[in-house]
Amino acid sequence: YVSLKKSYRLASDGVPIVNTRYFRKRTGAAVMICINAMAMCASANDTAKPSAPVQSVALDSLDGLEIKAVSEKGGSLVKVKADIATYNGRPALHMLNDDSTMDSGGPSGGESLAIVKGSDFGDGTIEFEVVGMPRQGSNSQSRGFVGIAFRIQGDVDKFENFYLRFTNGRADDQLRRNHSAQYSSFPDFPWSRLRQENPGVYESYVDIEEKAWTKVKVVVSGSKAKLYVNGAKQPCLIVNDLKLGEGHGPVALWTGSDTESYFSNLQIKRE
């Protein structure tokens, strides 16, 4: 701060005359002090960067969700029911896809999404808990298909997808077990195409149990992604070439053909 008493003197007529030499000296020192203080603050901010933004959704309400059915090219939309229900004492998002209402469908059957409004995910981690089972009355090919869609493009024109086939995890057939976890990319790379062109590359075995709460974590970085289940330290499925490449977009809870699902405790952490 500049001393007012020393920065000016009074002329004979009482008009103050500014002591410019003293004023420049003192104001220059004050400016240097301010600049140094700002530099110290900037350095402190660089040292203690804030943590990556985290979006947590309890999924005990439909608020903030957009429910949408999607289909492969040429297929009709599935009838989907979405509400909040209690499963094993826990309130959760409940989804039910009924393929019997479809006129026609591709190899993947009916698919539905609960899109998290305001989410925009590129790289980072997605975690949630889920229960999956075949819809009551569905055919023998239903497996309880439940998972996560991310980096959704346009009006759900494209998205990446990891999902689980819940009745495969403890099946007596080893081949079915090997198809417990799956990656796909809507709409151009459904599971059927990936299995035909690259057998065993985009799906794997993981120990999962039908009708039981299951923890799922997806870690995404650039064009690579890893799927973890039930707190495992190692991923059960690794994808090194996400078909949409690098990008970002909304996140959605995904339910597949003739499936009943429950979702809880969604957390989206962006990097």
Side-chain angles (χ1 to χ4, degrees):
Y1 294 95
V2 180
S3 172
L4 293 177
K5 290 184 179 180
K6 294 183 179 181
S7 63
Y8 69 89
R9 60 183 174 83
L10 295 178
S12 59
D13 58 358
V15 177
I17 300 174
V18 177
N19 185 341
T20 56
R21 181 179 178 183
Y22 184 86
F23 190 85
R24 286 196 300 267
K25 181 179 178 181
R26 292 301 182 181
T27 53
V31 169
M32 288 303 298
I33 291 173
C34 291
I35 291 174
N36 289 336
M38 292 171 63
M40 291 174 65
C41 291
S43 177
N45 289 337
D46 289 340
T47 302
K49 291 182 179 180
S51 58
V54 177
Q55 184 176 2
S56 297
V57 187
L59 299 176
D60 55 2
S61 168
L62 292 179
D63 293 343
L65 300 175
E66 178 187 357
I67 310 302
K68 190 176 184 70
V70 297
S71 66
E72 295 175 345
K73 296 176 181 178
S76 59
L77 297 177
V78 68
K79 180 181 179 181
V80 54
K81 174 186 176 183
D83 58 12
I84 300 301
T86 299
Y87 187 85
N88 283 354
R90 181 189 305 184
L93 169 65
H94 174 230
M95 304 277 287
L96 181 64
N97 286 356
D98 185 353
D99 280 30
S100 68
T101 63
M102 298 174 66
D103 296 328
S104 61
S108 299
E111 301 178 53
S112 65
L113 303 174
I115 303 169
V116 181
K117 296 179 181 179
S119 61
D120 186 17
F121 178 82
D123 292 347
T125 303
I126 304 171
E127 296 184 73
F128 60 100
E129 294 181 64
V130 65
V131 174
M133 64 196 81
R135 176 184 63 82
Q136 186 174 1
S138 61
N139 63 47
S140 60
Q141 297 302 309
S142 182
R143 300 286 186 255
F145 311 96
V146 188
I148 195 81
F150 57 98
R151 292 180 174 176
I152 299 173
Q153 304 297 305
D155 187 20
V156 197
D157 301 316
K158 298 180 179 181
F159 58 80
E160 307 283 19
N161 184 21
F162 275 114
Y163 65 90
L164 303 174
R165 297 182 177 96
F166 272 93
T167 62
N168 283 6
R170 298 187 178 181
D172 293 332
D173 182 345
Q174 184 59 48
L175 185 58
R176 276 188 59 184
R177 286 189 175 216
N178 294 344
H179 299 161
S180 300
Q182 178 76 52
Y183 161 76
S184 66
S185 184
F186 183 89
D188 296 326
F189 292 89
W191 68 269
S192 52
R193 175 181 176 180
L194 292 174
R195 184 180 294 179
Q196 180 180 8
E197 296 179 357
N198 303 276
V201 175
Y202 296 100
E203 54 191 324
S204 68
Y205 165 72
V206 63
D207 182 25
I208 49 177
E209 185 179 0
E210 179 189 2
K211 299 181 181 180
W213 280 111
T214 302
K215 294 182 179 181
V216 178
K217 180 172 74 172
V218 174
V219 179
V220 182
S221 178
S223 60
K224 300 181 179 182
K226 298 178 180 179
L227 175 66
Y228 299 80
V229 174
N230 281 332
K233 293 183 179 180
Q234 292 296 320
C236 63
L237 184 58
I238 299 173
V239 176
N240 291 318
D241 59 338
L242 293 173
K243 300 307 180 183
L244 297 181
E246 299 185 15
H248 64 92
V251 170
L253 302 152
W254 180 93
T255 302
S257 173
D258 264 341
T259 293
E260 183 173 10
S261 61
Y262 295 86
F263 297 91
S264 178
N265 296 329
L266 172 66
Q267 186 177 87
I268 304 168
K269 182 177 181 180
R270 297 177 293 276
E271 293 182 353

